[in-house]
């Protein structure tokens, strides 16, 4: 698996001329055997220190490798923030809010570029408005599944699969579906506040034939109502 991804990195560099972008402070990115990291060193710290990504022969790590190849700036940013937090606080029983958010986005995150009306419905968890009444607006939207764990799960789709959609810092919600824009949205203070909206991805128009039936969205175990406000 590591060798296949390494060949892919070389081909991508030749075809795009952007191979230098897939680099960490210690050099160009390499995909390494799964036991490359020494015992006791955190995975993220090892990647940052050596520019090597330990890679197992499975779909999870394959999709992670593809994310590195396709979104090198965003993956570098995630890794640098993880490594900085590990250097600051060490490895404890809990990751802390920033590392939790970084891990959530890396594994299960998504990016949505969509009209504000869709964002309002998503944040309100108004699934009927989001997917039925405002369905036509999805023609103006783009959704990217970024998280490699979610991509792995989508190989065998099930209705409950849910992405955590990152919204942009500031007044706007949308993030452009491009590497530099995703990387720029990964601000530590913003991420520590868990700026994610849950989105059952098989509800997105065009992503699953069954969602053409309006009663698809009546399943409250998947399309959950908003939480009651805390007092």
């Amino acid at each position: 698996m590591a060798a296949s991804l390494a060949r892919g990195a070389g081909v991508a560099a030749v075809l795009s001329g952007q191979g230098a972008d897939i680099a960490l402070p210690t050099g160009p990115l390499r995909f390494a055997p799964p036991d490359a990291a020494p015992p006791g060193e955190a995975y993220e710290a090892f990647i940052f220190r050596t520019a090597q990504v330990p890679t197992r022969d499975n779909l999870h790590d394959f999709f992670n490798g593809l994310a590195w190849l396709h979104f090198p700036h965003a993956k570098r940013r995630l890794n640098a923030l993880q490594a900085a937090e590990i250097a600051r606080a060490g490895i404890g029983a809990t990751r802390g809010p920033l590392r939790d958010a970084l891990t959530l986005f890396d594994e299960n995150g998504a990016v949505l570029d969509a009209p504000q009306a869709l964002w309002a419905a998503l944040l309100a968890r108004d699934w009927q408005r989001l997917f039925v009444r405002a369905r036509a607006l999805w023609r103006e939207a783009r959704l990217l599944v970024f998280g490699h764990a979610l991509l792995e799960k989508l190989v065998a789709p099930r209705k409950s699969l849910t992405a955590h959609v990152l919204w942009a810092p500031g007044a706007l919600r949308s993030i452009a579906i491009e590497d530099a824009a995703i990387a720029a949205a990964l601000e530590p203070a913003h991420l520590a506040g868990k700026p994610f909206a849950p989105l059952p991805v098989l509800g997105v128009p065009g992503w699953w034939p069954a969602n053409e039936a309006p009663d698809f969205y009546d399943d409250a175990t998947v399309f959950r109502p908003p939480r009651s406000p805390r007092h």
Side-chain angles (χ1 to χ4, degrees):
M1 184 71 72
S4 297
L5 288 167
R7 286 193 296 273
V11 170
V14 170
L15 293 179
S16 69
Q18 297 178 340
D21 286 346
I22 309 176
L24 292 169
T26 48
L29 185 78
R30 292 169 289 166
F31 295 98
D35 58 356
E41 184 170 17
Y43 171 81
E44 296 90 350
F46 175 77
I47 294 172
F48 189 77
R49 179 176 66 82
T50 67
Q52 298 182 63
V53 180
T55 303
R56 300 165 297 181
D57 188 9
N58 59 29
L59 278 177
H60 185 91
D61 285 13
F62 175 71
F63 284 122
N64 183 48
L66 292 183
W68 272 105
L69 295 178
H70 199 67
F71 296 103
H73 289 89
K75 290 290 284 188
R76 285 172 57 196
R77 178 66 171 160
L78 286 167
N79 178 251
L81 291 173
Q82 287 274 20
E85 276 297 286
I86 291 169
R88 182 189 67 83
I91 300 294
T94 59
R95 290 191 181 97
L98 177 55
R99 288 195 64 214
D100 274 347
L102 292 166
T103 301
L104 183 64
F105 183 70
D106 194 27
E107 296 277 348
N108 214 62
V111 173
L112 176 65
D113 187 2
Q116 286 297 108
L118 290 183
W119 271 105
L122 174 61
L123 295 176
R125 300 192 191 187
D126 186 340
W127 308 115
Q128 287 294 317
R129 178 159 52 114
L130 178 66
F131 290 128
V132 180
R133 297 195 298 276
R135 196 173 185 86
L137 284 179
W138 281 96
R139 299 191 190 102
E140 304 171 35
R142 295 176 67 202
L143 176 67
L144 166 76
V145 173
F146 182 92
H148 54 279
L150 183 56
L151 287 169
E152 179 191 12
K153 293 172 187 174
L154 283 167
V155 171
R158 59 182 188 276
K159 190 175 181 179
S160 61
L161 292 180
T162 299
H164 289 78
V165 178
L166 174 69
W167 66 68
L172 295 177
R173 299 292 185 185
S174 287
I175 300 170
I177 308 296
E178 58 185 39
D179 188 20
I182 297 169
L186 298 172
E187 295 184 1
H190 182 58
L191 288 167
K194 296 283 182 72
F196 302 108
L199 176 64
V201 291
L202 294 189
V204 175
W207 280 46
W208 194 244
N211 73 34
E212 293 296 326
D215 62 359
F216 180 85
Y217 303 103
D218 294 339
D219 185 350
T221 64
V222 174
F223 301 97
R224 298 179 181 179
R227 295 188 182 98
S228 300
R230 294 179 179 177
H231 299 286

